[in-house]
Amino acid sequence: MPLPKSGYSTSGIFHLLPLGLRIQDKLSLLIDKHMSSLGASKLSLSSITTEVLWRQSGRYSANSELLRLKDRKESGLLLAPTHEEEITAIVAGMVKSYRDLPIRLYQTGRKYRDERRPRQGLLRAKEFMMKDLYTFDHNQETALETYQAVRSAYKNLFDNLKIPYLVADADSGNMGGKLSHEYHFVSPKGEDNVWSCSSCDYIANEELVEKRSSSTTAKSSSTSSSLVFKAISLDRTTAVHIHIPRPPSMPPSMPPTWSDVHSFVNLHAIKNTGVDIDTGIESSTLASLLPKTATEVHVYDRAVSPNTEPSLPDLTRIQPGDRCARCESGKLGVQKAIEVGHTFHLGTRYSEPLGALIAVPDSTSKQPIQMGCHGIGVSRIIGAIASLLSDSRGLNWPRCIAPFEAIVLTGPAASDTDGQEVYDTLCRGQSTNEGEGEVVDTILDDRADKSLGWKLRDADLIGYPVIVVLGRAWKEKREVEVQCRRLGVTSTVALGGLRECVVRLLEKL
Amino acid sequence: MPLPKSGYSTSGIFHLLPLGLRIQDKLSLLIDKHMSSLGASKLSLSSITTEVLWRQSGRYSANSELLRLKDRKESGLLLAPTHEEEITAIVAGMVKSYRDLPIRLYQTGRKYRDERRPRQGLLRAKEFMMKDLYTFDHNQETALETYQAVRSAYKNLFDNLKIPYLVADADSGNMGGKLSHEYHFVSPKGEDNVWSCSSCDYIANEELVEKRSSSTTAKSSSTSSSLVFKAISLDRTTAVHIHIPRPPSMPPSMPPTWSDVHSFVNLHAIKNTGVDIDTGIESSTLASLLPKTATEVHVYDRAVSPNTEPSLPDLTRIQPGDRCARCESGKLGVQKAIEVGHTFHLGTRYSEPLGALIAVPDSTSKQPIQMGCHGIGVSRIIGAIASLLSDSRGLNWPRCIAPFEAIVLTGPAASDTDGQEVYDTLCRGQSTNEGEGEVVDTILDDRADKSLGWKLRDADLIGYPVIVVLGRAWKEKREVEVQCRRLGVTSTVALGGLRECVVRLLEKL
């Protein structure tokens, strides 16, 4: 009986059975290769961290997804969702001068999040595997060089996976450059929206995407054609009136309902004005929630503002087909996507509160270290690829993370030694005419109590990239059948040419 | 600056920095090798398990060291200290017939225990690494074959570590054979007592050790020379009177104090009579704790019992020098030891309550699977070896788990390319007269801002098995100095003989 890829325990908790663990281990090794190219050293921080550190960084109260431990001493222990605090505290204790930098440290380990609603298997779980890299540099310039080096390593890593991905601008930062990027797989199962231009290379996430405002619209509109949504601030002290131009699809006679706010208002843009509204509360119930002392705030889209400042925001929601802000002719389109990686220049966000200071040249006072943090969702990549490449017959793993690159299946015509001989041909580096050549990571299914048809269905289900069958042709001509479902290939080859044939197929996967 | 081996976070919580992680990874790989020899498959179970499963096995209430999670739904989640429940539930769902067995599954992962008093670093921590193997067989006979196969794999594994170890009988089981064994490193830091015979190969832990009772003593003694300790049962319903022969060291006129109970009474033997006493409560305070309805129980050592049954227990504490129960001439001695491994035949302890049943030949009713569980304390082995082999100059790692087998240190006379050349000689499989030969896992310390003396002290501190120095002899004759502190070896060799010289040293480590 084949071991399932991953076992389900309780909501948001998963076990990795042997084949699943091989997939995860292969992905970890691939990550190690690319982290090593950056000169990063691997470590392993405890899954347990402390409230004290998280209070010091200011992240404790803001995080409602922290899993707390009940221990015998009420020690304030947490299961860490990320490790910025711990790694900053460790490096702060070891590094005194700019001469000790740069340092690049990473780990691949379990992370924890008290998900409100765990869903989609490995895509959103309470316990998940993540690669987290932390970088430490002595000034902004070297930190930005590090950031570019990480982006380049991420490019190589995602190229290796051979799954199409998008790199979206995720934060415009405050240092002149783009200092945060998200790495996405396009997928209908995704929970993120990634916008891209039809013409230029502009790609941005939902929070950051900008459209080109039609300046004529801004001038010709008047407040008379505006739509007003009434909202309440998150802290419930303020009534917020949101003014946007009335969309063409909405006749003037029609009053807006609260659900229209999600269709027409860019809530990220509202947040960027400095107002946090509670989007879960409908206008009709506001009156009962607002205290008598409530203040009132008006937020205007640039097209309907009574003011004429040039810097007023565009508060309308971006729609597919809106014009790109970065080029003349492009139009914006949106795709559902799964975020699988993130690079982030942190600056002194953690080094300052946690006192990670170093002596620097030409200064008598110590300076906070310039940091970066760079994640890769290991469980997410596995879950996303499983869903992206599967078809009605089963999973389909890309070569670099497949539990085995090829499986050899024996039919009734093949003896045990026959199976072993074909297996050896693939996975032993024996001398052949083509030279030593590449060996193929292979598994042999020679179970005597299963039919060849059963084994074929099982191999398809598990998703080995290449299947090698000792069937009728083996008996007649000592030839094997090579199948690759993803490439739609089935061919019959003699033993002498088998390894080369399989290697050629794998190169395309 | 050298990265410390492991970083301390909070009481009982440790981080593994890069060199420490390499040690742990090497030990994991060594374990993988020996588990693979058993045909065991590796998996990775979640660190999180559920109260529900632990209640089903009956282990929930008995365990005061479980770390519970506070999640948003009060879901009754735990951090698992071991995984018998989870693995039994998984296998129960996959296996239907004896034909699906044997199955051997293991993992190497983090375990959790709410230690009352974390201490001695990695030896007793709240979070620690363990290898846990679970075996599943269809009857007792095959289960015992599995048990012997595991013992043999453990022997090979512990032999590879090249650290002296003891294998102690730990439970006499109920199936005629010895079905639990503990693997110990002898160490003054140990918290376990391991008893061994001076003559035969009898080794047993504190719970199980037996001495030979002098039958003449049993006959000649009378109740008049007995000593009585008054104790209270753990559930505080019963007064327990423990009768043992008065030890020769204690004159008849002297009344016993409560602390004497620990010196003279074998508390494990008391427990084996079926009486659980509260050893923390002194006789003098008993009266106030006992309810009026308290019953009274008398427990007699065989030498002072009014009865003459031959099966009466020996309740006196075993002392060094007592006679061995297994041979004629041996005497028992005791050593402090650190438990680093355990093999355990479980039988149907978990398969029965968790419903892991299979169809078996010649029976119409399904039978519970015969299980075993077999642990290796990965963090403990690292902590124990660190303390056992260290000296005043630093740590000393055995070859098989050293972070690197050798380090190359460059002095001021050596250029960057010199250091690289020596490094390449050791760790690249270049053709030499001795054939391809073994490569040495090497690290190069060519830091320009550190003196050779500083690098030597640092290398000693970290505990690399072999140190190769490019010092004065390099400048004069292109020879390197090879140091091995543990073997007390220092020699000068030419580059051509370096790899062979290092390999010869490593073979002894």
Side-chain angles (χ1 to χ4, degrees):
Chain A
M1 176 159 202
L3 297 176
K5 213 179 71 290
S6 74
Y8 170 76
S9 159
T10 182
S11 170
I13 305 291
F14 295 86
H15 302 307
L16 282 181
L17 299 187
L19 292 172
L21 180 59
R22 279 188 76 94
I23 291 169
Q24 183 175 286
D25 284 348
K26 287 209 174 177
L27 181 50
S28 285
L29 282 175
L30 184 70
I31 289 172
D32 287 346
K33 183 180 109 181
H34 292 285
M35 291 299 104
S36 162
S37 78
L38 268 174
S41 298
K42 193 171 187 176
L43 43 62
S44 176
L45 302 178
S46 170
S47 296
I48 295 180
T49 184
T50 62
E51 256 181 54
V52 176
L53 265 181
W54 277 63
R55 286 191 197 282
Q56 213 174 326
S57 72
R59 284 212 294 175
Y60 184 73
S61 58
N63 196 322
S64 66
E65 294 188 335
L66 286 174
L67 276 168
R68 269 164 280 263
L69 294 183
K70 294 190 212 176
D71 76 337
R72 63 177 76 239
K73 285 179 183 163
E74 297 288 338
S75 326
L77 300 180
L78 311 171
L79 288 179
T82 61
H83 282 95
E84 282 83 357
E85 283 81 358
E86 288 285 354
I87 198 86
T88 307
I90 289 170
V91 170
M94 297 195 309
V95 164
K96 301 295 160 212
S97 153
Y98 74 98
R99 289 191 191 88
D100 302 324
L101 299 181
I103 287 181
R104 295 168 182 176
L105 295 167
Y106 80 102
Q107 59 179 347
T108 302
R110 287 178 173 164
K111 302 277 181 288
Y112 296 87
R113 192 166 46 198
D114 193 4
E115 276 289 347
R116 214 170 288 270
R117 196 165 64 88
R119 57 198 177 272
Q120 304 214 45
L122 296 177
L123 294 189
R124 196 166 283 277
K126 284 183 186 162
E127 183 185 60
F128 52 97
M129 288 290 279
M130 227 179 88
K131 185 282 296 177
D132 41 337
L133 164 69
Y134 303 94
T135 62
F136 302 85
D137 285 280
H138 76 274
N139 64 20
Q140 283 195 7
E141 193 189 335
T142 52
L144 293 184
E145 282 166 21
T146 292
Y147 188 82
Q148 293 310 327
V150 174
R151 282 206 61 188
S152 149
Y154 270 43
K155 179 182 187 309
N156 295 337
L157 168 62
F158 281 101
D159 285 350
N160 275 181
L161 287 174
K162 296 191 182 167
I163 304 287
Y165 64 97
L166 299 174
V167 184
D169 291 354
D171 191 0
S172 55
N174 54 1
M175 287 166 62
K178 296 281 178 282
L179 291 165
S180 172
H181 289 86
E182 290 172 0
Y183 294 73
H184 290 270
F185 289 158
V186 175
S187 162
K189 292 206 172 175
E191 298 186 337
D192 287 310
N193 289 320
V194 175
W195 294 80
S196 50
C197 173
S198 60
S199 173
C200 72
D201 62 0
Y202 180 57
I203 304 179
N205 71 1
E206 183 86 2
E207 283 79 5
L208 197 72
V209 62
E210 289 171 7
K211 66 183 174 201
R212 179 177 298 268
S213 295
S214 143
S215 52
T216 48
T217 313
K219 299 293 165 206
S220 71
S221 291
S222 73
T223 47
S224 66
S225 65
S226 73
L227 206 59
V228 184
F229 291 96
K230 285 177 191 160
I232 186 170
S233 65
L234 256 190
D235 61 9
R236 303 202 177 172
T237 61
T238 312
V240 181
H241 297 248
I242 301 166
H243 302 258
I244 61 162
R246 180 173 287 271
S249 61
M250 209 172 191
S253 57
M254 206 172 147
T257 66
W258 180 244
S259 66
D260 291 331
V261 85
H262 295 283
S263 310
F264 298 123
V265 175
N266 181 342
L267 295 170
H268 303 295
I270 300 289
K271 198 170 178 185
N272 288 342
T273 68
V275 179
D276 271 330
I277 66 166
D278 190 334
T279 56
I281 293 172
E282 299 206 15
S283 307
S284 57
T285 60
L286 285 191
S288 61
L289 290 169
L290 278 169
K292 283 176 190 163
T293 56
T295 51
E296 202 165 277
V297 162
H298 290 264
V299 187
Y300 291 95
D301 179 88
R302 62 172 69 153
V304 294
S305 171
N307 301 325
T308 51
E309 298 164 34
S311 64
L312 279 170
D314 182 339
L315 299 183
T316 59
R317 200 169 159 183
I318 297 182
Q319 306 287 346
D322 282 348
R323 288 180 57 203
C324 175
R326 301 291 171 88
C327 70
E328 281 303 316
S329 59
K331 301 223 164 155
L332 295 172
V334 67
Q335 291 170 287
K336 285 281 168 202
I338 299 170
E339 187 186 340
V340 287
H342 202 139
T343 52
F344 210 106
H345 173 74
L346 292 169
T348 61
R349 164 70 185 85
Y350 293 92
S351 51
E352 225 170 291
L354 295 164
L357 307 176
I358 45 162
V360 293
D362 308 323
S363 168
T364 51
S365 66
K366 292 197 155 197
Q367 296 295 317
I369 297 175
Q370 292 283 335
M371 288 176 55
C373 71
H374 312 279
I376 287 185
V378 173
S379 310
R380 274 210 169 176
I381 286 180
I382 297 171
I385 291 181
S387 96
L388 280 170
L389 297 188
S390 64
D391 60 23
S392 62
R393 286 159 72 183
L395 298 166
N396 250 321
W397 295 105
R399 178 215 195 143
C400 61
I401 66 167
F404 293 92
E405 293 174 321
I407 184 168
V408 173
L409 308 181
T410 55
S415 71
D416 282 358
T417 51
D418 289 344
Q420 191 67 45
E421 186 184 354
V422 175
Y423 171 85
D424 287 348
T425 304
L426 284 169
C427 73
R428 296 245 166 103
Q430 59 183 28
S431 285
T432 62
N433 282 347
E434 314 103 73
E436 289 297 310
E438 234 176 313
V439 298
V440 178
D441 182 25
T442 309
I443 188 172
L444 169 62
D445 184 353
D446 56 2
R447 284 175 282 187
D449 61 335
K450 303 291 183 193
S451 71
L452 185 53
W454 190 97
K455 289 181 191 176
L456 269 165
R457 283 191 300 277
D458 188 50
D460 271 339
L461 199 62
I462 290 168
Y464 301 103
V466 173
I467 300 176
V468 177
V469 185
L470 281 73
R472 197 161 298 167
W474 180 257
K475 197 174 180 181
E476 292 162 4
K477 302 177 285 183
R478 285 182 65 85
E479 288 180 352
V480 295
E481 188 178 282
V482 176
Q483 298 184 3
C484 176
R485 193 166 99 247
R486 204 162 143 218
L487 298 174
V489 168
T490 304
S491 60
T492 306
V493 294
L495 214 49
L498 174 62
R499 187 143 58 105
E500 200 192 341
C501 165
V502 172
V503 168
R504 291 273 156 82
L505 288 172
L506 289 173
E507 280 165 359
K508 297 176 196 154
L509 300 167
Chain B
M1 173 161 206
L3 297 177
K5 216 180 69 282
S6 73
Y8 170 77
S9 159
T10 182
S11 171
I13 304 291
F14 295 87
H15 302 307
L16 284 180
L17 299 187
L19 293 170
L21 180 59
R22 280 188 77 93
I23 291 169
Q24 182 175 285
D25 284 349
K26 287 210 173 174
L27 182 51
S28 284
L29 282 175
L30 185 70
I31 290 173
D32 287 346
K33 183 180 108 180
H34 292 284
M35 291 299 104
S36 161
S37 78
L38 269 174
S41 298
K42 192 170 188 176
L43 44 61
S44 177
L45 302 178
S46 171
S47 295
I48 295 180
T49 183
T50 61
E51 257 182 51
V52 176
L53 264 180
W54 277 64
R55 286 192 196 282
Q56 214 174 326
S57 72
R59 285 212 293 175
Y60 183 73
S61 57
N63 196 322
S64 66
E65 293 188 335
L66 286 174
L67 274 168
R68 270 164 279 264
L69 293 182
K70 293 189 210 175
D71 75 336
R72 63 176 78 239
K73 285 178 183 163
E74 296 288 339
S75 328
L77 300 180
L78 312 170
L79 287 180
T82 61
H83 281 96
E84 283 83 357
E85 284 80 357
E86 288 285 354
I87 198 86
T88 307
I90 289 171
V91 170
M94 296 194 311
V95 164
K96 302 295 162 213
S97 154
Y98 73 98
R99 289 191 192 87
D100 302 323
L101 299 180
I103 286 181
R104 296 167 182 176
L105 294 167
Y106 80 103
Q107 59 178 347
T108 301
R110 287 178 173 165
K111 302 278 181 285
Y112 296 88
R113 192 165 46 198
D114 193 4
E115 276 289 348
R116 215 170 287 270
R117 197 166 63 86
R119 56 196 177 276
Q120 305 216 44
L122 296 177
L123 294 189
R124 198 166 280 278
K126 284 183 185 162
E127 181 185 63
F128 51 98
M129 287 290 279
M130 228 179 87
K131 184 282 297 176
D132 41 337
L133 164 70
Y134 304 94
T135 61
F136 302 84
D137 285 279
H138 77 275
N139 63 19
Q140 283 193 7
E141 193 190 335
T142 52
L144 293 185
E145 283 167 20
T146 292
Y147 187 82
Q148 293 311 328
V150 173
R151 283 206 59 190
S152 149
Y154 270 44
K155 181 183 184 311
N156 294 337
L157 169 61
F158 281 101
D159 286 350
N160 274 181
L161 288 175
K162 297 191 181 164
I163 304 287
Y165 64 97
L166 299 173
V167 184
D169 290 355
D171 191 358
S172 54
N174 54 0
M175 288 165 61
K178 297 281 179 281
L179 291 164
S180 172
H181 290 86
E182 291 171 358
Y183 294 74
H184 290 270
F185 289 158
V186 175
S187 162
K189 292 207 173 175
E191 298 186 338
D192 287 309
N193 288 321
V194 176
W195 293 80
S196 50
C197 173
S198 59
S199 175
C200 73
D201 62 359
Y202 180 57
I203 305 178
N205 71 0
E206 183 87 1
E207 283 80 5
L208 197 73
V209 62
E210 288 171 9
K211 67 183 172 201
R212 179 176 299 268
S213 295
S214 143
S215 52
T216 49
T217 313
K219 299 293 164 206
S220 71
S221 293
S222 74
T223 48
S224 66
S225 67
S226 73
L227 206 59
V228 184
F229 291 95
K230 287 178 189 160
I232 186 169
S233 65
L234 255 189
D235 63 8
R236 305 202 175 170
T237 62
T238 313
V240 181
H241 297 247
I242 302 165
H243 302 259
I244 61 161
R246 181 174 287 271
S249 62
M250 209 172 194
S253 56
M254 205 173 148
T257 66
W258 181 244
S259 68
D260 290 332
V261 84
H262 295 284
S263 310
F264 299 124
V265 176
N266 182 342
L267 295 171
H268 302 297
I270 301 289
K271 198 172 179 184
N272 288 341
T273 67
V275 179
D276 271 330
I277 65 165
D278 189 334
T279 56
I281 293 172
E282 299 206 14
S283 306
S284 57
T285 60
L286 285 191
S288 62
L289 289 169
L290 279 169
K292 283 177 192 161
T293 56
T295 52
E296 204 165 274
V297 162
H298 290 264
V299 187
Y300 291 95
D301 179 88
R302 62 173 68 154
V304 294
S305 172
N307 302 324
T308 52
E309 298 163 33
S311 64
L312 279 169
D314 182 340
L315 299 183
T316 59
R317 200 170 158 179
I318 296 182
Q319 305 287 347
D322 282 349
R323 289 181 54 202
C324 175
R326 303 290 172 89
C327 70
E328 281 303 315
S329 59
K331 301 222 163 158
L332 295 172
V334 67
Q335 291 170 287
K336 286 279 169 205
I338 299 170
E339 188 186 340
V340 287
H342 202 139
T343 52
F344 210 107
H345 173 75
L346 293 169
T348 61
R349 164 69 185 87
Y350 294 91
S351 51
E352 227 171 289
L354 294 164
L357 307 176
I358 43 162
V360 293
D362 308 323
S363 168
T364 51
S365 67
K366 291 197 155 197
Q367 297 295 316
I369 297 174
Q370 292 284 334
M371 288 176 56
C373 71
H374 311 279
I376 286 186
V378 173
S379 310
R380 275 213 168 173
I381 286 181
I382 296 171
I385 291 180
S387 96
L388 281 169
L389 297 188
S390 64
D391 60 23
S392 62
R393 287 160 69 184
L395 299 165
N396 250 321
W397 295 105
R399 179 217 193 141
C400 61
I401 66 167
F404 292 92
E405 292 174 321
I407 184 168
V408 173
L409 307 181
T410 55
S415 70
D416 281 359
T417 51
D418 289 345
Q420 190 66 45
E421 187 184 354
V422 175
Y423 171 86
D424 287 348
T425 304
L426 285 168
C427 73
R428 297 248 164 101
Q430 60 184 25
S431 285
T432 62
N433 282 345
E434 314 101 73
E436 289 297 310
E438 234 176 313
V439 298
V440 178
D441 182 24
T442 309
I443 187 172
L444 169 62
D445 184 354
D446 56 2
R447 283 175 283 186
D449 61 335
K450 303 292 180 192
S451 71
L452 184 54
W454 190 98
K455 290 181 192 175
L456 270 165
R457 284 191 300 278
D458 187 51
D460 272 339
L461 199 62
I462 291 167
Y464 301 104
V466 173
I467 299 176
V468 176
V469 183
L470 281 71
R472 198 161 299 168
W474 180 259
K475 196 175 181 181
E476 293 162 5
K477 302 177 286 184
R478 284 181 67 86
E479 287 180 353
V480 294
E481 188 178 281
V482 176
Q483 299 184 4
C484 175
R485 193 165 98 248
R486 207 165 141 215
L487 299 174
V489 167
T490 304
S491 59
T492 304
V493 294
L495 215 50
L498 174 62
R499 186 142 58 105
E500 201 192 338
C501 165
V502 173
V503 168
R504 291 272 155 83
L505 289 172
L506 289 173
E507 280 164 0
K508 298 175 196 155
L509 299 168

